[in-house]
Protein backbone atom coordinates (compact mmCIF):
# COMPACT_ATOMS: atom_id res chain seq x y z
CA UNK A 1 0.00 0.00 0.00
CA UNK A 2 1.29 3.48 -0.79
CA UNK A 3 0.54 6.51 1.33
CA UNK A 4 -1.89 7.81 -1.26
CA UNK A 5 -4.08 4.74 -1.74
CA UNK A 6 -7.41 4.08 -0.03
CA UNK A 7 -6.66 1.80 2.89
CA UNK A 8 -9.92 -0.02 3.43
CA UNK A 9 -12.53 0.30 6.18
CA UNK A 10 -10.11 -0.15 9.07
CA UNK A 11 -7.22 1.95 7.77
CA UNK A 12 -3.72 0.58 7.23
CA UNK A 13 -2.73 -2.75 8.73
CA UNK A 14 -0.33 -2.85 11.69
CA UNK A 15 2.46 -3.87 9.34
CA UNK A 16 1.65 -0.99 6.98
CA UNK A 17 1.75 1.45 9.86
CA UNK A 18 5.02 0.03 11.18
CA UNK A 19 6.66 0.35 7.76
CA UNK A 20 5.16 3.75 6.89
CA UNK A 21 5.34 5.51 10.24
CA UNK A 22 8.69 5.98 11.96
CA UNK A 23 8.03 6.59 15.66
CA UNK A 24 10.89 8.62 17.18
CA UNK A 25 8.51 9.88 19.91
CA UNK A 26 7.29 6.41 20.96
CA UNK A 27 6.77 6.32 24.73
CA UNK A 28 6.07 10.06 25.01
CA UNK A 29 2.77 10.79 26.77
CA UNK A 30 0.95 13.95 25.72
CA UNK A 31 -2.19 15.47 27.21
CA UNK A 32 -3.86 17.50 24.46
CA UNK A 33 -6.35 19.93 26.01
CA UNK A 34 -6.33 22.18 22.94
CA UNK A 35 -9.26 22.92 20.66
CA UNK A 36 -10.03 24.05 17.11
CA UNK A 37 -6.80 24.19 15.03
CA UNK A 38 -3.57 25.72 16.40
CA UNK A 39 -3.20 23.54 19.50
CA UNK A 40 -4.62 20.31 18.04
CA UNK A 41 -2.24 20.59 15.07
CA UNK A 42 0.65 20.55 17.55
CA UNK A 43 -0.68 17.40 19.25
CA UNK A 44 -1.34 15.83 15.85
CA UNK A 45 2.29 16.25 14.78
CA UNK A 46 3.48 14.63 18.01
CA UNK A 47 1.04 11.74 17.51
CA UNK A 48 2.20 11.28 13.93
CA UNK A 49 5.72 10.74 15.28
CA UNK A 50 4.66 8.04 17.74
CA UNK A 51 3.62 9.90 20.89
CA UNK A 52 0.59 8.65 22.82
CA UNK A 53 -1.72 11.67 22.65
CA UNK A 54 -4.87 11.83 24.75
CA UNK A 55 -7.26 14.48 23.49
CA UNK A 56 -9.26 15.94 26.37
CA UNK A 57 -12.46 17.53 25.12
CA UNK A 58 -15.84 18.56 26.52
CA UNK A 59 -18.61 16.02 26.87
CA UNK A 60 -21.35 16.24 24.25
CA UNK A 61 -20.18 17.60 20.89
CA UNK A 62 -16.52 17.81 21.93
CA UNK A 63 -14.10 20.01 20.02
CA UNK A 64 -15.86 22.78 18.07
CA UNK A 65 -14.07 21.77 14.87
CA UNK A 66 -15.92 18.43 14.89
CA UNK A 67 -19.13 20.12 13.77
CA UNK A 68 -17.66 22.65 11.33
CA UNK A 69 -18.42 20.97 8.00
CA UNK A 70 -20.79 21.50 5.10
CA UNK A 71 -21.75 17.80 5.12
CA UNK A 72 -24.57 17.19 7.64
CA UNK A 73 -23.67 13.49 7.84
CA UNK A 74 -20.15 14.28 9.03
CA UNK A 75 -21.44 16.95 11.40
CA UNK A 76 -23.88 14.44 12.90
CA UNK A 77 -21.05 12.07 13.90
CA UNK A 78 -18.61 14.80 14.89
CA UNK A 79 -16.22 14.11 12.05
CA UNK A 80 -15.85 17.48 10.33
CA UNK A 81 -12.99 17.36 7.86
CA UNK A 82 -11.14 20.16 9.65
CA UNK A 83 -11.24 18.09 12.84
CA UNK A 84 -10.11 14.98 11.02
CA UNK A 85 -7.15 16.80 9.47
CA UNK A 86 -5.40 17.45 12.82
CA UNK A 87 -6.59 14.70 15.16
CA UNK A 88 -5.59 11.39 13.57
CA UNK A 89 -3.75 9.01 15.85
CA UNK A 90 -5.10 10.46 19.11
CA UNK A 91 -7.24 8.92 21.84
CA UNK A 92 -10.27 10.84 23.11
CA UNK A 93 -11.37 11.43 26.68
CA UNK A 94 -14.59 13.41 27.05
CA UNK A 95 -14.70 15.01 30.50
CA UNK A 96 -16.27 18.05 32.14
CA UNK A 97 -13.20 19.49 33.85
CA UNK A 98 -15.20 22.42 35.17
CA UNK A 99 -16.36 19.97 37.86
CA UNK A 100 -14.12 19.04 40.78
CA UNK A 101 -14.21 15.35 39.84
CA UNK A 102 -13.41 16.14 36.21
CA UNK A 103 -10.45 18.28 37.25
CA UNK A 104 -9.06 15.46 39.37
CA UNK A 105 -9.22 13.17 36.34
CA UNK A 106 -7.27 15.67 34.27
CA UNK A 107 -4.73 16.23 37.04
CA UNK A 108 -4.29 12.47 37.37
CA UNK A 109 -3.47 12.29 33.66
CA UNK A 110 -1.13 15.29 33.91
CA UNK A 111 0.75 13.54 36.73
CA UNK A 112 1.65 10.79 34.26
CA UNK A 113 2.22 12.95 31.21
CA UNK A 114 5.42 14.28 29.65
CA UNK A 115 3.67 17.13 27.84
CA UNK A 116 0.46 19.11 28.31
CA UNK A 117 -0.82 21.29 25.45
CA UNK A 118 -3.70 23.72 25.95
CA UNK A 119 -5.08 26.57 23.88
CA UNK A 120 -7.40 28.44 26.24
CA UNK A 121 -7.39 32.19 26.83
CA UNK A 122 -4.52 33.30 29.05
CA UNK A 123 -5.45 32.63 32.67
CA UNK A 124 -8.60 30.63 31.90
CA UNK A 125 -7.25 27.34 33.23
CA UNK A 126 -5.61 28.99 36.25
CA UNK A 127 -9.08 29.79 37.53
CA UNK A 128 -9.94 26.08 37.33
CA UNK A 129 -6.79 24.93 39.10
CA UNK A 130 -5.31 23.57 35.87
CA UNK A 131 -2.82 26.35 35.19
CA UNK A 132 0.92 25.73 34.85
CA UNK A 133 1.85 26.56 38.45
CA UNK A 134 -0.44 24.00 40.04
CA UNK A 135 0.02 21.28 37.44
CA UNK A 136 3.81 21.50 37.28
CA UNK A 137 4.06 21.63 41.08
CA UNK A 138 2.59 18.12 41.03
CA UNK A 139 4.71 17.00 38.08
CA UNK A 140 7.93 19.04 37.77
CA UNK A 141 9.02 17.02 34.72
CA UNK A 142 5.98 18.15 32.75
CA UNK A 143 6.44 20.38 29.71
CA UNK A 144 3.39 22.64 29.91
CA UNK A 145 2.65 24.40 26.60
CA UNK A 146 0.06 27.21 26.57
CA UNK A 147 -0.99 28.35 23.09
CA UNK A 148 -2.96 31.57 22.78
CA UNK A 149 -3.72 34.36 20.36
CA UNK A 150 -1.73 37.16 21.99
CA UNK A 151 0.43 35.40 24.59
CA UNK A 152 0.36 35.27 28.38
CA UNK A 153 1.36 38.91 28.96
CA UNK A 154 0.42 42.34 27.67
CA UNK A 155 -2.87 44.26 27.42
CA UNK A 156 -4.47 41.73 25.02
CA UNK A 157 -3.42 38.59 26.92
CA UNK A 158 -6.96 37.43 27.63
CA UNK A 159 -8.57 38.44 24.34
CA UNK A 160 -10.13 35.65 22.27
CA UNK A 161 -8.70 35.19 18.81
CA UNK A 162 -9.09 33.16 15.66
CA UNK A 163 -6.71 32.88 12.73
CA UNK A 164 -8.21 35.71 10.70
CA UNK A 165 -8.16 38.00 13.74
CA UNK A 166 -4.44 37.35 14.22
CA UNK A 167 -3.79 37.89 10.53
CA UNK A 168 -5.36 41.33 10.93
CA UNK A 169 -3.59 42.10 14.21
CA UNK A 170 -0.13 40.98 13.10
CA UNK A 171 0.15 43.04 9.91
CA UNK A 172 0.25 40.15 7.46
CA UNK A 173 -3.13 41.15 6.00
CA UNK A 174 -1.84 44.65 5.34
CA UNK A 175 1.19 43.11 3.60
CA UNK A 176 -0.84 40.78 1.39
CA UNK A 177 -2.58 41.69 -1.83
CA UNK A 178 -2.07 43.87 -4.89
CA UNK A 179 -0.19 47.19 -4.44
CA UNK A 180 -3.26 49.15 -5.54
CA UNK A 181 -5.76 47.00 -3.64
CA UNK A 182 -6.84 46.57 -0.05
CA UNK A 183 -5.56 44.21 2.65
CA UNK A 184 -6.00 40.51 1.90
CA UNK A 185 -6.15 37.56 4.26
CA UNK A 186 -3.94 34.61 3.35
CA UNK A 187 -6.17 31.90 1.86
CA UNK A 188 -5.39 29.29 4.51
CA UNK A 189 -5.36 29.63 8.32
CA UNK A 190 -1.62 30.21 8.35
CA UNK A 191 -1.38 31.62 11.87
CA UNK A 192 -3.15 28.55 13.29
CA UNK A 193 -1.09 25.93 11.51
CA UNK A 194 2.22 27.76 11.86
CA UNK A 195 1.65 28.19 15.58
CA UNK A 196 1.14 24.44 15.89
CA UNK A 197 4.53 23.89 14.25
CA UNK A 198 6.19 26.46 16.55
CA UNK A 199 4.62 24.83 19.60
CA UNK A 200 5.83 21.36 18.59
CA UNK A 201 9.32 22.79 18.00
CA UNK A 202 9.32 24.44 21.45
CA UNK A 203 8.10 21.22 23.10
CA UNK A 204 10.84 19.12 21.54
CA UNK A 205 13.45 21.69 22.63
CA UNK A 206 12.12 21.56 26.21
CA UNK A 207 12.10 17.75 26.19
CA UNK A 208 15.70 17.71 25.01
CA UNK A 209 16.66 20.06 27.84
CA UNK A 210 14.77 17.88 30.32
CA UNK A 211 17.10 15.00 29.54
CA UNK A 212 19.86 17.12 31.09
CA UNK A 213 18.02 18.91 33.90
CA UNK A 214 15.21 16.52 34.81
CA UNK A 215 12.73 19.40 34.82
CA UNK A 216 10.11 20.55 32.37
CA UNK A 217 9.31 24.06 31.15
CA UNK A 218 6.32 26.37 30.87
CA UNK A 219 6.04 27.33 27.20
CA UNK A 220 4.15 30.46 26.13
CA UNK A 221 3.43 30.15 22.39
CA UNK A 222 1.38 32.91 20.77
CA UNK A 223 -0.14 33.09 17.33
CA UNK A 224 0.78 36.78 17.13
CA UNK A 225 4.49 36.19 17.75
CA UNK A 226 4.45 33.24 15.37
CA UNK A 227 3.32 35.59 12.62
CA UNK A 228 6.03 38.09 13.57
CA UNK A 229 8.58 35.27 13.24
CA UNK A 230 7.23 34.32 9.81
CA UNK A 231 7.56 37.95 8.74
CA UNK A 232 11.07 38.37 10.18
CA UNK A 233 12.57 40.25 7.18
CA UNK A 234 9.66 42.67 7.07
CA UNK A 235 9.72 43.13 10.85
CA UNK A 236 13.41 44.08 10.77
CA UNK A 237 12.84 46.42 7.85
CA UNK A 238 9.84 48.08 9.51
CA UNK A 239 11.59 48.63 12.84
CA UNK A 240 14.72 50.05 11.22
CA UNK A 241 12.88 52.26 8.74
CA UNK A 242 10.03 53.14 11.13
CA UNK A 243 7.69 52.68 8.19
CA UNK A 244 5.53 49.78 7.01
CA UNK A 245 6.65 47.83 3.92
CA UNK A 246 4.35 48.18 0.92
CA UNK A 247 2.29 45.41 -0.66
CA UNK A 248 4.08 43.88 -3.63
CA UNK A 249 1.36 41.56 -4.91
CA UNK A 250 2.93 38.53 -6.58
CA UNK A 251 6.42 40.01 -6.84
CA UNK A 252 9.23 38.34 -4.93
CA UNK A 253 10.64 39.79 -1.72
CA UNK A 254 13.76 40.75 -3.67
CA UNK A 255 11.79 43.19 -5.83
CA UNK A 256 13.31 41.73 -9.00
CA UNK A 257 11.09 42.49 -12.04
CA UNK A 258 11.75 38.97 -13.34
CA UNK A 259 10.57 37.34 -10.10
CA UNK A 260 6.85 37.79 -10.55
CA UNK A 261 3.67 36.31 -12.02
CA UNK A 262 3.26 36.52 -15.81
CA UNK A 263 0.53 35.55 -18.29
CA UNK A 264 1.16 32.81 -20.86
CA UNK A 265 -1.09 31.73 -23.73
CA UNK A 266 -3.52 29.94 -21.41
CA UNK A 267 -2.62 30.51 -17.77
CA UNK A 268 -0.28 32.27 -15.37
CA UNK A 269 3.26 31.25 -14.49
CA UNK A 270 5.31 32.40 -11.52
CA UNK A 271 8.96 32.95 -12.41
CA UNK A 272 11.71 33.33 -9.81
CA UNK A 273 14.62 34.80 -11.75
CA UNK A 274 16.40 36.83 -9.06
CA UNK A 275 20.10 36.71 -9.91
CA UNK A 276 22.01 38.13 -12.88
CA UNK A 277 22.69 34.62 -14.16
CA UNK A 278 19.01 33.72 -13.86
CA UNK A 279 17.99 36.89 -15.72
CA UNK A 280 20.34 36.06 -18.59
CA UNK A 281 19.15 32.44 -18.59
CA UNK A 282 15.51 33.53 -18.63
CA UNK A 283 16.05 35.83 -21.61
CA UNK A 284 17.83 33.05 -23.50
CA UNK A 285 15.10 30.49 -22.67
CA UNK A 286 12.44 32.90 -23.95
CA UNK A 287 14.35 33.42 -27.18
CA UNK A 288 15.10 37.01 -26.23
CA UNK A 289 18.79 36.84 -25.41
CA UNK A 290 19.14 40.27 -27.03
CA UNK A 291 17.36 41.85 -24.07
CA UNK A 292 20.18 40.90 -21.70
CA UNK A 293 22.37 43.45 -23.47
CA UNK A 294 19.70 46.13 -23.79
CA UNK A 295 20.74 49.22 -21.84
CA UNK A 296 17.28 49.39 -20.30
CA UNK A 297 17.72 45.98 -18.73
CA UNK A 298 21.45 45.31 -18.37
CA UNK A 299 21.62 45.96 -14.61
CA UNK A 300 19.25 45.32 -11.65
CA UNK A 301 18.46 48.99 -11.03
CA UNK A 302 17.89 49.61 -14.73
CA UNK A 303 15.43 46.74 -14.85
CA UNK A 304 13.56 48.14 -11.87
CA UNK A 305 13.32 51.57 -13.51
CA UNK A 306 12.02 49.98 -16.69
CA UNK A 307 9.91 47.29 -15.04
CA UNK A 308 6.82 47.90 -17.18
CA UNK A 309 8.71 47.72 -20.47
CA UNK A 310 10.51 44.55 -19.41
CA UNK A 311 7.26 42.94 -18.34
CA UNK A 312 5.76 43.68 -21.75
CA UNK A 313 8.68 42.00 -23.52
CA UNK A 314 8.48 38.93 -21.29
CA UNK A 315 4.71 38.48 -21.64
CA UNK A 316 4.94 38.90 -25.42
CA UNK A 317 7.30 35.94 -25.51
CA UNK A 318 5.29 33.89 -23.01
CA UNK A 319 2.06 34.46 -24.95
CA UNK A 320 3.33 32.23 -27.77
CA UNK A 321 3.07 29.01 -25.70
CA UNK A 322 1.17 27.45 -22.80
CA UNK A 323 2.20 27.79 -19.18
CA UNK A 324 2.97 24.05 -19.03
CA UNK A 325 5.33 24.43 -21.99
CA UNK A 326 7.21 27.30 -20.39
CA UNK A 327 7.40 25.48 -17.03
CA UNK A 328 9.26 22.63 -18.76
CA UNK A 329 11.49 24.98 -20.77
CA UNK A 330 12.45 27.06 -17.75
CA UNK A 331 13.08 24.00 -15.59
CA UNK A 332 15.47 22.66 -18.24
CA UNK A 333 17.24 26.03 -18.24
CA UNK A 334 17.60 26.03 -14.45
CA UNK A 335 15.17 28.90 -13.91
CA UNK A 336 12.83 28.50 -10.90
CA UNK A 337 9.24 28.63 -12.16
CA UNK A 338 5.84 27.04 -11.71
CA UNK A 339 2.45 27.19 -13.34
CA UNK A 340 0.04 28.93 -10.95
CA UNK A 341 -2.15 25.96 -10.08
CA UNK A 342 -5.31 25.64 -8.05
CA UNK A 343 -5.06 23.33 -5.05
CA UNK A 344 -7.12 20.76 -6.97
CA UNK A 345 -4.67 20.93 -9.88
CA UNK A 346 -1.70 20.61 -7.53
CA UNK A 347 -3.19 17.48 -5.98
CA UNK A 348 -3.73 15.99 -9.45
CA UNK A 349 -0.14 16.64 -10.50
CA UNK A 350 2.22 13.66 -10.99
CA UNK A 351 4.43 15.07 -8.21
CA UNK A 352 1.64 14.39 -5.73
CA UNK A 353 1.20 10.84 -7.02
CA UNK A 354 4.93 10.20 -6.69
CA UNK A 355 5.07 11.50 -3.13
CA UNK A 356 1.55 11.66 -1.64
CA UNK A 357 0.71 14.26 1.00
CA UNK A 358 -2.24 12.24 2.31
CA UNK A 359 -3.25 8.76 3.42
CA UNK A 360 -6.79 7.48 2.95
CA UNK A 361 -8.38 6.26 6.19
CA UNK A 362 -11.89 5.35 7.27
CA UNK A 363 -12.93 7.52 10.20
CA UNK A 364 -15.49 6.27 12.75
CA UNK A 365 -18.83 6.99 11.16
CA UNK A 366 -17.37 9.69 8.94
CA UNK A 367 -16.47 7.71 5.85
CA UNK A 368 -13.13 7.61 4.04
CA UNK A 369 -10.99 10.74 4.10
CA UNK A 370 -7.51 11.65 2.78
CA UNK A 371 -5.73 12.54 6.03
CA UNK A 372 -2.51 14.58 5.88
CA UNK A 373 0.93 13.05 6.21
CA UNK A 374 3.77 15.01 7.80
CA UNK A 375 5.71 17.17 5.32
CA UNK A 376 9.09 15.55 5.89
CA UNK A 377 10.68 12.12 5.69
CA UNK A 378 12.65 10.14 8.24
CA UNK A 379 15.15 7.86 6.49
CA UNK A 380 13.07 8.17 3.32
CA UNK A 381 9.85 7.26 5.16
CA UNK A 382 7.11 9.88 5.40
CA UNK A 383 5.17 9.75 8.69
CA UNK A 384 1.52 8.94 7.99
CA UNK A 385 -1.53 8.75 10.30
CA UNK A 386 -1.14 5.81 12.70
CA UNK A 387 -4.91 5.55 13.30
CA UNK A 388 -8.13 7.38 12.38
CA UNK A 389 -9.30 10.36 14.44
CA UNK A 390 -11.44 9.26 17.40
CA UNK A 391 -15.08 9.95 18.15
CA UNK A 392 -15.88 12.07 21.21
CA UNK A 393 -14.98 10.03 24.27
CA UNK A 394 -14.04 6.96 22.24
CA UNK A 395 -11.35 6.04 24.78
CA UNK A 396 -12.90 7.44 27.97
CA UNK A 397 -13.50 4.07 29.59
CA UNK A 398 -10.07 2.70 28.73
CA UNK A 399 -8.25 5.83 29.88
CA UNK A 400 -10.09 5.95 33.21
CA UNK A 401 -9.41 2.25 33.74
CA UNK A 402 -5.71 2.95 33.21
CA UNK A 403 -5.97 5.59 35.95
CA UNK A 404 -7.36 2.94 38.30
CA UNK A 405 -11.08 3.71 38.14
CA UNK A 406 -13.33 0.67 38.51
CA UNK A 407 -16.00 -0.19 35.95
CA UNK A 408 -18.69 0.82 38.46
CA UNK A 409 -17.02 4.17 39.10
CA UNK A 410 -16.73 4.82 35.36
CA UNK A 411 -20.41 3.96 34.87
CA UNK A 412 -21.29 6.45 37.60
CA UNK A 413 -19.18 9.22 36.05
CA UNK A 414 -20.84 8.66 32.68
CA UNK A 415 -24.30 8.60 34.27
CA UNK A 416 -23.54 11.92 35.99
CA UNK A 417 -22.33 13.33 32.62
CA UNK A 418 -18.92 14.18 34.07
CA UNK A 419 -17.42 11.79 31.54
CA UNK A 420 -18.71 11.12 28.04
CA UNK A 421 -18.51 8.23 25.61
CA UNK A 422 -19.69 7.76 22.00
CA UNK A 423 -23.44 8.01 21.54
CA UNK A 424 -23.37 4.76 19.57
CA UNK A 425 -21.42 2.06 21.44
CA UNK A 426 -19.15 0.10 19.14
CA UNK A 427 -18.92 2.85 16.56
CA UNK A 428 -15.18 3.10 17.23
CA UNK A 429 -14.36 -0.56 16.92
CA UNK A 430 -12.28 0.16 13.81
CA UNK A 431 -10.12 2.68 15.67
Amino acid sequence: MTAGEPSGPSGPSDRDREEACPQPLAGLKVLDMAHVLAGPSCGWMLAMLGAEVIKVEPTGEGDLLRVVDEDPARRAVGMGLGYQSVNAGKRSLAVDFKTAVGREIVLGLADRADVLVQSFRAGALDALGLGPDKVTARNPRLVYCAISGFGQDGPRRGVRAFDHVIQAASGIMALTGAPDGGPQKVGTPVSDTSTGVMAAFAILAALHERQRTGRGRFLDVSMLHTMFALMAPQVVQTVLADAPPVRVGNSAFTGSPTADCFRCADADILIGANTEAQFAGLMKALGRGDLAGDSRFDAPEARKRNRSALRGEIESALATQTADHWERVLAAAGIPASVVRTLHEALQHPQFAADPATTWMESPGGGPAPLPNLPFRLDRQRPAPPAPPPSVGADSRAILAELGYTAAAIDALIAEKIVGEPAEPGRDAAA
Side-chain angles (χ1 to χ4, degrees):
M1 184 197 79
T2 69
E5 294 174 347
S7 54
S10 299
S13 68
D14 289 343
R15 180 173 181 179
D16 287 330
R17 285 196 291 267
E18 183 178 350
E19 291 177 351
C21 303
Q23 297 193 324
L25 299 184
L28 188 73
K29 296 185 182 298
V30 178
L31 198 57
D32 180 355
M33 298 182 68
H35 50 279
V36 190
L37 194 53
S41 67
C42 169
W44 164 73
M45 285 182 279
L46 301 178
M48 293 279 280
L49 292 172
E52 178 193 345
V53 180
I54 295 177
K55 182 177 180 67
V56 176
E57 51 190 324
T59 55
E61 288 189 341
D63 190 328
L64 170 65
L65 209 55
R66 286 181 175 275
V67 294
V68 178
D69 197 295
E70 294 181 358
D71 184 346
R74 285 194 293 264
R75 287 201 306 272
V77 295
M79 281 291 158
L81 292 179
Y83 164 79
Q84 291 194 54
S85 70
V86 291
N87 286 286
K90 300 179 184 180
R91 305 169 76 195
S92 173
L93 167 67
V95 59
D96 181 0
F97 52 79
K98 292 183 179 179
T99 66
V101 175
R103 285 195 294 275
E104 282 306 311
I105 292 172
V106 173
L107 287 169
L109 289 170
D111 288 344
R112 302 181 177 201
D114 297 292
V115 177
L116 185 151
V117 181
Q118 57 103 330
S119 60
F120 291 85
R121 288 182 299 113
L125 288 189
D126 296 85
L128 294 174
L130 296 173
D133 292 342
K134 178 166 184 178
V135 176
T136 58
R138 295 171 53 126
N139 180 4
R141 288 177 54 80
L142 182 72
V143 174
Y144 189 112
C145 180
I147 297 173
S148 62
F150 296 96
Q152 303 297 308
D153 297 299
R156 305 206 76 189
R157 66 182 295 268
V159 175
R160 288 184 171 90
F162 286 106
D163 169 84
H164 49 293
V165 174
I166 296 299
Q167 288 201 38
S170 65
I172 195 169
M173 272 185 69
L175 273 177
T176 306
D180 56 352
Q184 181 65 57
K185 183 177 73 68
V186 179
T188 187
V190 63
S191 65
D192 271 329
T193 52
S194 298
T195 300
V197 174
M198 291 293 189
F201 174 69
I203 287 168
L204 294 180
L207 289 171
H208 180 73
E209 181 191 47
R210 192 183 71 175
Q211 292 182 316
R212 183 177 71 254
T213 67
R215 298 188 66 84
R217 285 276 188 184
F218 170 55
L219 306 176
D220 172 7
V221 182
S222 82
M223 296 164 69
L224 181 67
H225 281 80
T226 294
M227 297 313 296
F228 289 153
L230 294 186
M231 296 186 291
Q234 290 92 343
V235 167
V236 172
Q237 173 189 341
T238 301
V239 172
L240 285 178
D242 194 25
V246 298
R247 286 191 290 274
V248 295
N250 293 318
S251 296
F253 177 69
T254 62
S256 169
T258 50
D260 207 331
C261 189
F262 300 93
R263 187 68 185 173
C264 301
D266 64 335
D268 293 326
I269 190 167
L270 195 292
I271 298 174
N274 286 291
T275 68
E276 287 298 291
Q278 288 170 346
F279 170 70
L282 174 62
M283 295 301 102
K284 182 178 179 180
L286 295 179
R288 294 303 310 272
D290 59 299
L291 294 177
D294 190 310
S295 61
R296 296 173 298 167
F297 314 129
D298 60 0
E301 291 308 314
R303 291 196 289 275
K304 289 181 181 179
R305 286 194 303 270
N306 297 287
R307 178 186 295 267
S308 179
L310 179 57
R311 183 179 188 88
E313 298 284 5
I314 292 172
E315 291 201 322
S316 291
L318 291 172
T320 62
Q321 296 287 348
T322 66
D324 278 326
H325 167 85
W326 288 119
E327 183 181 69
R328 293 191 297 271
V329 168
L330 295 179
I335 309 300
S338 175
V339 175
V340 178
R341 296 184 172 89
T342 65
L343 178 57
H344 183 265
E345 290 168 343
L347 296 176
Q348 298 297 317
H349 193 275
Q351 182 65 35
F352 179 85
D355 188 9
T358 60
T359 295
W360 282 89
M361 300 192 86
E362 185 87 14
S363 62
L371 303 182
N373 301 328
L374 287 182
F376 54 83
R377 289 180 173 182
L378 301 174
D379 291 336
R380 300 187 180 277
Q381 293 178 301
R382 188 174 298 283
S391 295
V392 181
D395 306 286
S396 293
R397 287 183 177 274
I399 291 168
L400 291 178
E402 292 163 9
L403 283 175
Y405 287 80
T406 65
I410 296 171
D411 286 339
L413 288 170
I414 291 174
E416 294 169 16
K417 300 189 183 304
I418 295 173
V419 171
E421 64 178 348
E424 301 172 26
R427 188 172 67 196
D428 293 275

